[in-house]
Amino acid sequence: LAVISVLLAVIPALLLAFMHLSKNKFVRGISGAYIAIFRSTPLLVQLSIIYFGFFGAISIPRLYIFGFIDISRFIPGVVALALNSSAYVAEIFRAGILAVDAGQTEAARSLGLSATQAMKLVVLPQAIKNVLPALGNELIALVKDTSVAGFIAVFDLTQAFKLIGSSSYEFMIPYLVLALFYLVIVGILTVIIKMIERRFAKSDK
């Protein structure tokens, strides 16, 4: 859920970031409205609207992947998480692009690069390095947010441990173990993100 959602969120987030930096007020307004809506409303509400509203009108076949992933519930969950995450990632990208010194773009243009080439080859690589810690935090937050998908009966970790508690009538121990699971997952992700950050930081030296 988290990995697919964050991968789907990156492209719309970049587009939203560029729209938000546009000189066109209309384009900037569309991006600002999208970001404001998805950042100002609860994820659970967004998930409900997308699942019962949009996907309620579309018939998705109930197929199972790996024996337990029901795509009729998994896809709406991924879409909701990706749309929500793209609003936050867009602001992260926008801040990263603005953090790159304007002289970098001017130098690239003076060497004969077009505005698109300057953004692609000079500004974006530096912006991505700048925002890597924030992107890592967003991924970690998204991992925890996947627990909301249990609301539409997506069989995630939270839903699994909830069923264990219901069958044993003992909720404290299953939820403590669930918390440990999330702690381990987030801990592993944190280590991986720090390794990537150190690799990017080598160029600074």
Side-chain angles (χ1 to χ4, degrees):
L1 275 169
V3 171
I4 295 174
S5 297
V6 80
L7 289 175
L8 289 176
V10 168
I11 300 302
L14 267 175
L15 180 61
L16 286 165
F18 288 134
M19 288 172 67
H20 209 58
L21 293 169
S22 172
K23 294 179 181 179
N24 187 305
K25 289 184 179 180
F26 179 72
V27 172
R28 198 165 61 244
I30 292 173
S31 174
Y34 179 96
I35 293 170
I37 290 169
F38 279 91
R39 290 181 68 186
S40 304
T41 55
L43 176 57
L44 186 60
V45 174
Q46 296 167 20
L47 177 63
S48 301
I49 292 171
I50 290 168
Y51 178 70
F52 294 109
F54 181 75
F55 283 96
I58 300 174
S59 180
I60 301 178
R62 194 162 189 176
L63 298 175
Y64 286 87
I65 303 173
F66 306 121
F68 68 94
I69 299 177
D70 180 1
I71 65 167
S72 66
R73 300 179 189 278
F74 185 83
I75 292 174
V78 164
V79 169
L81 288 166
L83 290 175
N84 177 271
S85 181
S86 64
Y88 290 92
V89 176
E91 285 294 271
I92 292 171
F93 278 137
R94 185 175 71 88
I97 292 169
L98 290 174
V100 177
D101 194 282
Q104 297 285 320
T105 304
E106 293 170 6
R109 295 303 302 275
S110 68
L111 290 171
L113 273 67
S114 66
T116 303
Q117 290 174 323
M119 177 60 70
K120 180 183 175 183
L121 301 174
V122 178
V123 178
L124 268 184
Q126 295 182 73
I128 290 172
K129 187 173 75 169
N130 291 340
V131 304
L132 198 59
L135 285 176
N137 289 336
E138 175 59 24
L139 176 59
I140 289 170
L142 194 59
V143 168
K144 295 183 288 184
D145 286 343
T146 56
S147 60
V148 176
F151 177 73
I152 57 171
V154 174
F155 196 73
D156 71 320
L157 274 175
T158 305
Q159 187 74 356
F161 280 91
K162 184 179 178 181
L163 290 174
I164 292 170
S166 299
S167 62
S168 64
Y169 299 103
E170 173 58 61
F171 286 93
M172 181 59 72
I173 294 174
Y175 278 122
L176 285 173
V177 176
L178 173 61
L180 182 62
F181 266 66
Y182 275 108
L183 188 65
V184 170
I185 292 169
V186 170
I188 292 170
L189 279 174
T190 302
V191 171
I192 293 171
I193 291 164
K194 287 190 179 298
M195 288 172 62
I196 295 171
E197 284 178 23
R198 283 198 295 269
R199 187 177 181 86
F200 271 82
K202 285 182 179 179
S203 62
D204 294 337
K205 297 176 183 179

